Amino acid sequence: MAEESTAIVIFGASGDLTRQKLLPALFSLYCKSRLPPGVRVVGFSRSGFSDDEFREMTWEGIREAGEPAGLREQWEEFARGLTYFSGDLADPQHLVGLGARLDELEGDSVSANRLYYLSIAPQLYETAISNLGASGLPQGAGGWSRVVIEKPFGTDLDSARALNEAVHRVFDESQVYRIDHYLGKETVQNLMVFRFANAIFEPIWNRNYVDNVQITVAEEVSVGDRAGYYDRSGVIRDMVQNHLLQLLTMVAMEPPSTMDASSLRNMKVDVLKAIRRWTPKEAATHAARGQYRGYLSEKGVTPHSTTGTYAALKLYVDNWRWQGVPFYLRTGKSLAYKVSEIVIQFRSPPHLLFSSSQDSKLTPNILSLCLQPDEGTHLKFEAKIPDQGMDTRPVDMEFRYETAFNKRAIPEAYERLLQDALEGDASLFIRSDHIEEAWRIVDPLLDYWQDPHAPAPHTYEPGSWGPREADALLAGDGHEWVQVCGGHGE
Ligand code: BG6
């Protein structure tokens, strides 16, 4: 008799996320012996695949993800645990059928665990969850059951609340794992290590020393074949409400007392609660919206669409630590190159004794955390230029993953997250209150931009750094965007 079995049921198994990310991540975990023994992956979607076709699709995804050749043997073992079930989530009877298949696969396991992964169109989440409940599917015999839900979770505060209620009618919050794949990135987790495993940064990590914080998540790619989804969503829902606000909370949060899920998540929610709320009118002067030239010709974009593909925002965290320190956020598609970076710009020295080679002003100290693609940390400080009197210029002290560690050892974000969900560690997943607070922050901006009287987005050239208006947002405070990562700094 099998003691324990685990089924990972992926809804939306024929989609790109499943092929490109989830299955390669599961295979990689399998190769590292990090999956529970006797694990089974059950793909579910409307496409009529056989088990073998599903396996073939999985192997293609693994190859595309760059898995080195030579793993054929492990692949064959892994593939034996792959099964496919064709059905429609909107039909509870199909879920009853899936339940029967799961019971069969689980046999006489004493404890049958089930992880449900919703990799489906977000508008289907509510139906999927309530049909899961109606079909009695969630629980296997004697085991745990959990549900992983992809972003976007809602499209505004009201819809997120309604979705949370629908989810809670079927699952307890402790069973719900809302994913933001940025939290699975090694370098994002390293933010916590950087802050809380080193004693020298925390004393200066506050308004007394920090002048401003900048968070950039730039993408070189355009919306491409996701234009249909993107045009309804836009940059705020696609990137800001989730990824950028996550990064902000990790920079601004207080040290948790332990790394357990509830301490960590409490600290992050505290930050969101402290973010100053705008009225839609204030939002207008604290944000800039852009659209890259050519967006309107992308297939799937509605004519005259005013969807933003770029946004820059200025936020304030109204608490003891951060009062008065602007947090500038920017993100966009079709920008000069891909880079995710957090810049902490420190205050300038109170009294200048030396002249700088650069416009006779000293560059403030800058700490740059490069999250991707050239992962690492840079600290810029002034140094004396040899043989030039007391002239100085900024230099860079750097740590790069590529040289300090084996960069190839950096796993895909989904690997860590899937492993955590299987192990029941929710620290890197998003709690219901976090989701709702994050919507409360961006909703006024969405309202303002949705207003037909709102100014149209500023056009920017593909390959640029976005519209000039985003620079003006900082210039008014005497600041400018700083870029260190990506070889464009010192
Ligand atoms: C996704 C967004 O959540 O994140 C995409 O929907 C975006 O539009 C992607 O391209 C960026 O992720 P990464 O890991 O490439 O920075």
Side-chain angles (χ1 to χ4, degrees):
M1 181 163 71
E3 288 290 303
E4 191 172 342
S5 67
T6 302
I8 303 170
V9 183
I10 304 180
F11 294 112
S14 57
D16 287 348
L17 179 71
T18 306
R19 198 186 76 248
Q20 293 166 1
K21 301 285 182 192
L22 304 182
L23 291 165
L26 285 169
F27 180 54
S28 177
L29 287 172
Y30 180 82
C31 294
K32 295 175 186 169
S33 307
R34 293 188 188 162
L35 289 183
V39 71
R40 285 211 164 71
V41 179
V42 182
F44 181 106
S45 75
R46 283 184 304 187
S47 314
F49 291 143
S50 64
D51 283 355
D52 280 342
E53 282 164 337
F54 180 53
R55 289 176 186 140
E56 193 44 45
M57 183 198 95
T58 307
W59 179 239
E60 269 167 32
I62 291 167
R63 279 209 322 251
E64 281 163 24
E67 208 51 68
L71 293 173
R72 195 68 208 190
E73 212 174 293
Q74 283 104 314
W75 158 250
E76 270 156 20
E77 283 163 20
F78 176 72
R80 281 198 280 277
L82 294 178
T83 308
Y84 186 79
F85 190 94
S86 166
D88 184 355
L89 262 176
D91 185 341
Q93 275 318 309
H94 291 190
L95 293 177
V96 172
L98 172 67
R101 170 75 78 89
L102 288 176
D103 289 342
E104 196 185 301
L105 292 170
E106 286 156 357
D108 52 4
S109 311
V110 177
S111 141
N113 306 319
R114 294 179 179 179
L115 183 75
Y116 299 101
Y117 199 117
L118 299 191
S119 170
I120 53 179
Q123 56 274 25
L124 296 177
Y125 288 165
E126 237 176 286
T127 316
I129 300 265
S130 75
N131 284 350
L132 268 176
S135 64
L137 189 61
Q139 211 61 41
W144 51 254
S145 69
R146 299 179 189 133
V147 61
V148 181
I149 306 177
E150 268 293 332
K151 68 157 263 272
F153 195 94
T155 53
D156 56 14
L157 177 60
D158 290 343
S159 57
R161 271 198 187 133
L163 184 53
N164 271 332
E165 281 166 20
V167 170
H168 290 152
R169 281 195 284 275
V170 179
F171 292 96
D172 182 74
E173 177 64 22
S174 63
Q175 297 174 285
V176 185
Y177 289 67
R178 296 176 194 78
I179 268 203
D180 179 320
H181 80 279
Y182 266 57
L183 294 179
K185 290 182 190 276
E186 289 284 322
T187 45
V188 174
Q189 291 154 38
N190 185 48
L191 266 170
M192 283 185 290
V193 173
F194 185 82
R195 288 192 56 196
F196 306 135
N198 295 296
I200 59 171
F201 301 109
E202 208 44 33
I204 55 170
W205 208 262
N206 56 53
R207 65 187 301 277
N208 298 325
Y209 297 92
V210 174
D211 186 76
N212 69 88
V213 177
Q214 303 184 11
I215 302 179
T216 298
V217 178
E219 293 188 273
E220 198 175 338
V221 292
S222 65
V223 296
D225 56 11
R226 293 169 76 227
Y229 145 79
Y230 194 93
D231 201 41
R232 287 190 308 275
S233 171
V235 62
I236 297 289
R237 294 189 175 96
D238 189 52
M239 296 294 286
V240 177
Q241 187 269 349
N242 33 71
H243 307 325
L244 276 91
L245 286 181
Q246 279 296 345
L247 298 178
L248 187 155
T249 58
M250 294 178 91
V251 172
M253 71 194 239
E254 294 302 314
S257 51
T258 66
M259 283 298 285
D260 72 61
S262 82
S263 311
L264 199 64
R265 300 196 293 180
N266 287 345
M267 294 299 135
K268 287 164 71 179
V269 173
D270 277 354
V271 173
L272 294 181
K273 285 186 176 154
I275 291 180
R276 195 177 301 170
R277 303 289 189 253
W278 299 318
T279 59
K281 203 165 151 209
E282 286 164 337
T285 54
H286 287 80
R289 171 171 61 156
Q291 190 184 75
Y292 62 82
R293 191 179 300 286
Y295 174 74
L296 294 176
S297 333
E298 301 274 13
K299 197 162 163 258
V301 168
T302 52
H304 314 297
S305 167
T306 56
T307 297
T309 59
Y310 175 100
L313 285 75
K314 176 162 69 166
L315 296 173
Y316 285 98
V317 181
D318 285 333
N319 62 15
W320 193 277
R321 188 191 280 260
W322 294 115
Q323 188 58 244
V325 177
F327 282 72
Y328 302 110
L329 276 51
R330 65 173 166 167
T331 180
K333 302 272 185 204
S334 277
L335 296 179
Y337 54 87
K338 181 177 174 83
V339 66
S340 299
E341 171 173 18
I342 297 175
V343 164
I344 315 286
Q345 184 164 336
F346 292 94
R347 290 187 185 282
S348 297
H351 176 60
L352 301 184
L353 292 174
F354 311 107
S355 59
S356 161
S357 61
Q358 299 193 339
D359 309 334
S360 65
K361 71 176 196 275
L362 294 181
T363 312
N365 296 133
I366 285 168
L367 176 70
S368 154
L369 303 158
C370 301
L371 307 178
Q372 59 183 17
D374 185 11
E375 297 87 350
T377 308
H378 300 253
L379 181 62
K380 284 170 78 100
F381 58 92
E382 289 291 307
K384 181 181 176 309
I385 306 174
D387 202 22
Q388 286 194 24
M390 288 306 279
D391 280 0
T392 69
R393 77 167 173 84
V395 291
D396 183 13
M397 191 154 75
E398 68 170 22
F399 146 72
R400 294 174 70 217
Y401 271 75
E402 185 150 37
T403 43
F405 299 115
N406 173 6
K407 187 172 149 97
R408 287 191 52 136
I410 300 181
E412 268 288 323
Y414 278 96
E415 240 186 271
R416 169 69 192 260
L417 295 172
L418 279 162
Q419 188 179 347
D420 283 1
L422 286 164
E423 290 173 0
D425 181 353
S427 350
L428 298 178
F429 293 84
I430 306 152
R431 216 167 50 188
S432 56
D433 51 345
H434 182 122
I435 287 277
E436 293 183 11
E437 286 302 332
W439 283 119
R440 272 193 193 95
I441 294 162
V442 300
D443 269 4
L445 188 55
L446 291 171
D447 289 346
Y448 170 66
W449 281 345
Q450 267 155 22
D451 187 324
H453 303 297
H458 306 287
T459 304
Y460 62 94
E461 296 306 322
S464 71
W465 281 106
R468 277 197 311 274
E469 288 71 13
D471 301 341
L473 204 62
L474 282 71
D477 303 335
H479 294 138
E480 54 187 33
W481 293 108
V482 174
Q483 272 164 245
V484 179
C485 308
H488 288 240
E490 168 61 32

